Amino acid sequence: MLLIQTKDLVKAYGEGVQEVRALDGVSLDIEQGDFVAIIGASGSGKSTFMNMIGCLDQPSSGSYILGGQLVSSLTADELAMVRNQRIGFVFQQFNLVNRLPVITNVLIGLLYETPWWRSLFMQFSVEQRQKALEALSSVGIEQTAWQRAATLSGGQQQRAALARCLVQKARVILADEPIASLDPESSRKVMDLLQQMNRDNKCTVLVSLHQVEFAVRYCPRTIALNAGRVVY
């Protein structure tokens, strides 16, 4: 089933002769359950493309359809709901709140379904906490649940971010250079987990990488960008 479709997607900065195109006419179809690597040098448009797919930014022109919905037609509240219910994010810099326990960082993935008066004070139900512990167990770091996130290694922090995607039950996982700051062994474990989540949960995974060898090893499909254009 077709999940993501972009047509002539353009993201431009500046005007006239000063215009710079971070994306320049990107047209792609991605099926539900695909595991796709996005590769390219720095400045090729990888992160800009991931931000567009994650509804974190709007294109200058072109269209983006997610799950049959034209994203440009959605209101701000609808866009927020799409991000919260459908899309899980994993970033190079982990995006955890260092002073909070690991389990609370995972539970943040459930804020969208938590009443505002409870979310304000990070008061989660027993059932939600159990889901978070199960997710941490799935990624192999359940023993860190009550540690402050700042005490974790880089590989453990990235696995905590993946556990957050698990409790969120994201249909799409966007991993923007998730192994760029990790050692080879931690990189392998994170890619193994992404592969497992794609296989077991049938979620669609897009992962941007500099390491071509990881793209070849893990991803059935690879898309290469250069100067904002698809070249492979």
Side-chain angles (χ1 to χ4, degrees):
M1 182 182 74
L2 186 62
L3 180 66
I4 293 170
Q5 184 177 46
T6 69
K7 186 172 178 58
D8 297 326
L9 207 62
V10 173
K11 182 63 179 179
Y13 300 95
E15 297 180 356
V17 295
Q18 300 297 323
E19 182 183 271
V20 175
R21 291 193 170 192
L23 293 179
D24 191 7
V26 175
S27 297
L28 289 171
D29 291 344
I30 296 173
E31 301 284 335
Q32 174 68 41
D34 278 356
F35 190 4
V36 183
I38 311 293
I39 64 171
S42 296
S44 62
K46 299 191 305 299
S47 292
T48 303
F49 179 72
M50 298 287 269
N51 286 340
M52 294 291 164
I53 298 302
C55 303
L56 297 175
D57 201 356
Q58 292 289 327
S60 303
S61 63
S63 64
Y64 166 35
I65 295 173
L66 173 63
Q69 289 182 296
L70 181 64
V71 172
S72 61
S73 69
L74 302 178
T75 66
D77 287 343
E78 288 170 336
L79 276 174
M81 189 61 68
V82 166
R83 285 194 298 267
N84 291 331
Q85 293 186 338
R86 296 189 184 182
I87 303 172
F89 297 95
V90 182
F91 298 99
Q92 179 181 348
Q93 299 303 324
F94 317 130
N95 277 34
L96 302 180
V97 182
N98 285 332
R99 62 183 176 80
L100 293 179
V102 174
I103 191 171
T104 304
N105 275 280
V106 173
L107 285 163
I108 286 172
L110 294 175
L111 283 177
Y112 74 93
E113 65 172 32
T114 305
W116 69 267
W117 54 271
R118 283 175 49 198
S119 64
L120 189 63
F121 299 101
M122 295 290 180
Q123 294 180 343
F124 298 95
S125 68
V126 173
E127 182 182 1
Q128 287 176 320
R129 291 180 183 276
Q130 184 60 38
K131 288 179 181 178
L133 288 171
E134 290 171 359
L136 286 169
S137 178
S138 295
V139 300
I141 57 168
E142 65 275 16
Q143 73 281 1
T144 70
W146 302 105
Q147 293 179 218
R148 289 173 61 247
T151 66
L152 269 58
S153 68
Q156 288 175 322
Q157 290 194 50
Q158 207 61 294
R159 282 189 272 174
L162 290 172
R164 185 173 56 204
C165 294
L166 281 175
V167 299
Q168 187 183 351
K169 295 184 178 177
R171 289 178 60 193
V172 181
I173 295 177
L174 302 178
D176 192 5
E177 299 190 18
I179 61 174
S181 303
L182 304 181
D183 60 80
E185 179 62 17
S186 296
S187 297
R188 184 189 61 78
K189 289 180 179 178
V190 168
M191 292 300 297
D192 283 345
L193 282 168
L194 284 170
Q195 187 179 58
Q196 180 182 339
M197 291 167 72
N198 168 255
R199 181 183 64 247
D200 295 348
N201 301 334
K202 311 302 181 186
C203 56
T204 302
V205 178
L206 276 68
V207 53
S208 67
L209 297 166
H210 281 297
Q211 302 92 332
V212 176
E213 66 274 17
F214 278 95
V216 171
R217 178 177 175 181
Y218 286 95
C219 303
R221 181 182 178 191
T222 296
I223 296 166
L225 296 178
N226 183 43
R229 298 180 178 180
V230 176
V231 294
Y232 175 80

